Amino acid sequence: MLRPKKMSKVLIVGGKDELEKTINTLYNLKIIHIIDYQGAEEGFEMGNPSKKSSLFSEYVLSLRGLKDVLNLSDKSLDNELSDFEFSKDFKSRLEKLENDVMIRHKKIEDLEILLSDIEKIDNVEELGKLGLSEDVKNIMVDLIRSKQNLLKERKDLEEELKSINEEYRNFILTAEDFLTREIEKAETPLRLATTENTFLIEGWIPEEKEEHAQEVLHKESEGKVHIVHLDEAEDDTPTFVEMPKPIKPFEVLVDMFSTPHYNEISPTLLISFTFPLFYGIMLGDLGYGLALLGLVTYLRRTQKTPGWQSLLNIMAYASYFTMACGVVYGEFFGLELFHLLGIGEIGGMHMPLAHRLDNIVQLLVICIGIGVVHISLGYIVGFVNVYTNKGLKRAIFEKLSWMGILYSMVGLFIYPELRYPLFGAMIFFIVLMYLGEGMMGLVEIFSLISNLISYTRLLAIGLSSVGIAMAINEIVFNLMIPKGALFSAFGVVLLIFSHTLNLALGIIASFLHSIRLQYVEFFTKFYKGGGIKFTPLGVRK
């Protein structure tokens, strides 16, 4: 989960008559990241796409045109369309469907133009001023008076298109998905090196799956296709980090910054905890957490794309931490939760555990402490990366030295009476750091201080949110209680609107500042990125 899978560089070799079968096998295995052939080797040339590619592309254009006209969106497909159905009647079925849809769509467009022109004539009498002949005038008058009929005709056509949408939706979406995959297979030879009689596929396969790939290809080709293992190391090795399903959505946040390099630890697992934790500390209200979870639950049903689903899963985790921190702070839409419930203590502990307005200094110290732990974790991961790639000496100079400087700084604030030995330790670690990073490292010492101070935003963002929530409650309750029913109704509307606005601001601010703490304060301590994402043949981009 932390380190990328070990990859093997391979060369797949076989006769051209086995190429199509080999591509189909690799496509189904979803196992090889192909290195595109650049046409630089003498005696080799790029392969030619299958004859089906051009025809399938025409079909896909037609299907996408139908999707636009019928306002179809992608959904989960049930693979209704099989190869047999496609080969027998697909073309005639598509042509008939396209003809039926386009005829109705054209009629609707013509009716809309006609209705738009009719709308411009406010008064029938105005036609007389145009100098039209009596016959033309009568036709225009009849046309204007037929507006209701035209509207009905347009509505009927729209209903017919809606009916076509419901009947053929699955056919259109499934066919487009099927053909898009077939086009990708048909165009794969353009990425390969070929001779008159053979083909070569160069690429990367996860080391643990190389033997399985060899067995399957050998069986499918009856021994006519072989995998040759290449021992050479490459800087362009693709990165494949296998994450469990609950953690996988956070890959989006890492990829937004940069794909992990093949030789470094992926931060996905780490930020799957720290991102929602920081988010919850900032928003930190049980009511807002419940509202955020409700919004996420609703959007999950309406936004089905993979990107949206990943983001919404991340926000679901953030809502759980927000609710947990809301209980710690004792806040519910800016109200004092435990005061409302009449609870003073639980299990001998005074409630709330930490009141954000009454315990500002203590919470500020905790936020700085969180920053120290977070930055230290970054240096520890960085130490492992440098040790793995450059050795222990470089790891000490480049990462351990920074941890020493960090803890020396913190020690000077906590134990000022030990300032002389701590200052001496800081000088020692600065020298080590200078040996590893030179003058640029000396300049960046000041950025370490700003990094620590940056974690005070965990409290500052939360204070602004709870301050606004409390002000909203105060204003609304003063408006509602003494003023009567009318003002009470207005107060309820104002309360809902104001808290919705404050929640929206809190959602955005907490997201931006939490991600900033990951990218700027955390990632810069160990993460370089710049890797190539493992994209095997058969996995849709």
Side-chain angles (χ1 to χ4, degrees):
M1 290 190 295
L2 290 175
R3 282 207 171 275
K5 295 277 188 183
K6 290 195 69 176
M7 307 297 291
S8 294
K9 191 174 185 182
V10 298
L11 196 65
I12 301 176
V13 184
K16 265 191 173 179
D17 54 345
E18 294 294 325
L19 178 56
E20 185 174 351
K21 186 188 294 184
T22 301
I23 289 173
N24 285 328
T25 301
L26 293 173
Y27 196 93
N28 294 330
L29 284 174
K30 298 177 175 57
I31 205 171
I32 184 167
H33 177 104
I34 294 178
I35 301 173
D36 292 343
Y37 177 63
Q38 302 299 322
E41 300 294 332
E42 186 177 351
F44 293 92
E45 59 182 17
M46 289 183 183
N48 296 315
S50 166
K51 296 177 181 178
K52 298 184 293 185
S53 176
S54 178
L55 178 62
F56 286 172
S57 296
E58 292 178 12
Y59 289 156
V60 167
L61 287 175
S62 297
L63 289 163
R64 288 176 180 169
L66 289 171
K67 281 178 64 178
D68 290 338
V69 172
L70 296 174
N71 294 318
L72 293 178
S73 59
D74 293 332
K75 66 167 189 173
S76 298
L77 305 174
D78 59 12
N79 297 320
E80 167 203 75
L81 195 64
S82 70
D83 291 330
F84 176 78
E85 290 172 323
F86 171 81
S87 63
K88 289 294 184 182
D89 64 355
F90 178 82
K91 182 177 180 180
S92 58
R93 190 178 182 188
L94 177 60
E95 287 177 349
K96 182 179 182 305
L97 175 60
E98 189 173 23
N99 186 58
D100 291 344
V101 169
M102 292 308 173
I103 287 174
R104 288 167 175 78
H105 181 61
K106 182 66 169 61
K107 285 182 179 179
I108 290 173
E109 286 185 334
D110 292 341
L111 286 172
E112 287 178 345
I113 293 172
L114 190 55
L115 286 167
S116 175
D117 291 338
I118 291 174
E119 291 291 341
K120 295 175 183 177
I121 304 175
D122 298 324
N123 192 334
V124 176
E125 299 302 325
E126 292 181 5
L127 294 174
K129 301 176 184 179
L130 300 177
L132 301 174
S133 66
E134 196 63 28
D135 290 340
V136 174
K137 181 180 176 182
N138 289 336
I139 292 172
M140 294 293 290
V141 170
D142 290 340
L143 187 61
I144 293 169
R145 289 172 179 169
S146 67
K147 179 180 177 181
Q148 293 304 318
N149 292 332
L150 295 174
L151 289 171
K152 183 179 182 304
E153 184 180 356
R154 184 180 67 177
K155 184 178 180 181
D156 290 343
L157 289 168
E158 289 173 345
E159 288 297 323
E160 289 175 15
L161 285 181
K162 184 178 179 181
S163 177
I164 292 173
N165 181 323
E166 294 172 355
E167 182 179 355
Y168 289 95
R169 175 188 185 88
N170 192 67
F171 168 76
I172 293 170
L173 294 176
T174 309
E176 186 205 10
D177 182 75
F178 171 80
L179 289 170
T180 301
R181 292 177 183 275
E182 290 301 308
I183 290 170
E184 186 176 2
K185 292 180 189 178
E187 293 181 348
T188 298
L190 291 169
R191 307 174 63 187
L192 317 178
T194 63
T195 65
E196 185 177 349
N197 299 309
T198 62
F199 70 86
L200 290 87
I201 303 175
E202 188 178 20
W204 296 94
I205 292 178
E207 189 178 80
E208 62 189 30
K209 297 182 179 180
E210 184 180 353
E211 185 176 345
H212 174 64
Q214 175 73 69
E215 291 174 357
V216 174
L217 281 174
H218 189 272
K219 179 181 177 181
E220 292 294 326
S221 67
E222 298 178 349
K224 298 175 183 177
V225 175
H226 305 277
I227 293 183
V228 180
H229 181 83
L230 303 177
D231 293 326
E232 56 188 285
E234 297 283 350
D235 292 331
D236 60 350
T237 307
T239 303
F240 173 39
V241 184
E242 198 167 36
M243 289 290 167
K245 191 174 181 181
I247 307 299
K248 199 166 184 62
F250 290 90
E251 289 182 343
V252 172
L253 299 182
V254 175
D255 289 340
M256 281 170 58
F257 186 85
S258 182
T259 299
H261 194 272
Y262 178 66
N263 291 320
E264 68 180 344
I265 291 173
S266 169
T268 305
L269 180 63
L270 304 175
I271 71 168
S272 69
F273 175 74
T274 57
F275 175 84
L277 172 64
F278 294 169
Y279 194 105
I281 291 173
M282 285 186 275
L283 192 54
D285 184 290
L286 178 59
Y288 284 169
L290 288 168
L292 176 58
L293 182 59
L295 176 63
V296 167
T297 302
Y298 168 75
L299 290 175
R300 273 175 170 168
R301 297 173 182 171
T302 58
Q303 305 297 326
K304 297 293 187 180
T305 61
W308 265 107
Q309 287 296 308
S310 294
L311 178 60
L312 292 172
N313 286 332
I314 292 170
M315 296 307 294
Y317 288 116
S319 70
Y320 303 146
F321 278 86
T322 298
M323 288 186 279
C325 291
V327 173
V328 172
Y329 299 146
E331 295 175 17
F332 185 80
F333 290 109
L335 300 171
E336 295 186 7
L337 175 64
F338 295 104
H339 178 73
L340 289 174
L341 298 175
I343 299 173
E345 61 178 50
I346 297 177
M349 295 186 295
H350 182 267
M351 290 296 172
L353 295 175
H355 193 290
R356 281 198 275 191
L357 294 179
D358 294 342
N359 305 111
I360 292 179
V361 175
Q362 296 92 323
L363 289 173
L364 199 61
V365 171
I366 291 173
C367 289
I368 295 295
I370 290 172
V372 172
V373 173
H374 197 220
I375 291 173
S376 298
L377 179 60
Y379 283 133
I380 291 170
V381 177
F383 181 91
V384 175
N385 281 337
V386 177
Y387 173 72
T388 303
N389 297 313
K390 299 180 181 179
L392 180 61
K393 181 179 177 182
R394 299 304 302 176
I396 292 173
F397 286 169
E398 295 181 18
K399 299 301 174 184
L400 187 63
S401 60
W402 279 105
M403 286 189 67
I405 295 169
L406 172 65
Y407 283 102
S408 298
M409 285 181 178
V410 174
L412 285 171
F413 285 100
I414 299 176
Y415 304 107
E417 67 276 10
L418 299 176
R419 57 186 175 275
Y420 293 117
L422 287 171
F423 189 72
M426 183 184 296
I427 296 297
F428 172 73
F429 286 116
I430 287 175
V431 171
L432 288 182
M433 181 270 296
Y434 177 78
L435 294 175
E437 301 191 16
M439 286 299 297
M440 286 303 299
L442 295 176
V443 174
E444 289 179 6
I445 290 177
F446 298 100
S447 70
L448 184 58
I449 300 173
S450 69
N451 287 163
L452 276 177
I453 295 173
S454 186
Y455 285 86
T456 59
R457 73 185 65 239
L458 292 172
L459 178 62
I461 301 300
L463 286 175
S464 65
S465 178
V466 69
I468 294 172
M470 293 177 67
I472 291 169
N473 294 335
E474 184 74 18
I475 292 170
V476 171
F477 292 156
N478 289 337
L479 180 68
M480 291 172 60
I481 294 174
K483 301 292 184 178
L486 182 62
F487 281 90
S488 295
F490 175 72
V492 170
V493 174
L494 180 62
L495 185 72
I496 294 172
F497 172 78
S498 301
H499 274 298
T500 300
L501 182 60
N502 190 37
L503 174 61
L505 293 173
I507 289 172
I508 296 170
S510 300
F511 185 94
L512 292 176
H513 288 282
S514 182
I515 201 68
R516 181 231 148 83
L517 289 173
Q518 312 302 324
Y519 287 171
V520 178
E521 277 69 35
F522 187 49
F523 280 13
T524 53
K525 306 302 179 289
F526 69 97
Y527 188 58
K528 297 186 183 302
I532 300 170
K533 198 172 186 67
F534 178 68
T535 311
L537 181 67
V539 173
R540 305 292 293 278
K541 299 180 182 179

